Amino acid sequence: MTESTVQISMRDENDLNCNYAIITKDTISVIVILKDLECAVFNYSDLQKIGCVSYLLLKHYKNTSCAYTDFLKLIGKMCKKHKDSKYFANRIIEDNRIIFDDFNCEHGISEEERLLLEARYSEFINFVSENKSRF
């Protein structure tokens, strides 16, 4: 059995105006943060270090309904992942940035999409960086 502990804080119960969940397996934790149309998975310990805002996965959405539903799905996926997966113990250094079109289609971000989403990306990373001690 894969055992996980989950702590969730929803936007209506925190003053961050975001949803987040901390998933822990043994001594390793990841945090899934949903803010507006961006959702990312971070190693929780790394996120707490000064100057470190490196995501394991970052998804961009077209609407808040899909973003919220996929946020919940990501929490479940992280719970199901083995503690030796790339999200927990055996991290892989990669730019794992995804464009979510719909529940049947998502793809790695292209250079053109990076340019189009730069402002949203920067705003999200700045938000996480400025508030990481509050998660």
Side-chain angles (χ1 to χ4, degrees), residues 17-63:
N17 195 29
C18 73
N19 300 311
Y20 68 91
I22 301 168
I23 299 100
T24 303
K25 294 177 182 292
D26 290 339
T27 61
I28 303 169
S29 299
V30 296
I31 182 169
V32 182
I33 302 171
L34 171 63
K35 172 84 169 122
D36 302 325
L37 297 174
E38 274 65 47
C39 185
V41 178
F42 298 90
N43 175 281
Y44 188 67
S45 296
D46 286 353
L47 188 63
Q48 299 306 312
K49 295 176 184 171
I50 294 173
C52 184
V53 185
S54 180
Y55 55 84
L56 302 169
L57 171 67
L58 173 60
K59 290 180 141 185
H60 300 280
Y61 302 91
K62 295 179 180 176
N63 65 63

Side-chain angles (χ1 to χ4, degrees), residues 7-9 14-22 30-35 40 42-45 47-48 53 71 124-135:
Q7 297 171 295
I8 296 178
S9 180
N14 66 52
D15 62 353
L16 294 168
N17 195 29
C18 73
N19 300 311
Y20 68 91
I22 301 168
V30 296
I31 182 169
V32 182
I33 302 171
L34 171 63
K35 172 84 169 122
F42 298 90
N43 175 281
Y44 188 67
S45 296
L47 188 63
Q48 299 306 312
V53 185
F71 164 73
F124 178 74
I125 293 300
N126 288 338
F127 166 78
V128 172
S129 182
E130 291 168 4
N131 293 288
K132 63 185 186 172
S133 64
R134 298 175 66 196
F135 294 113

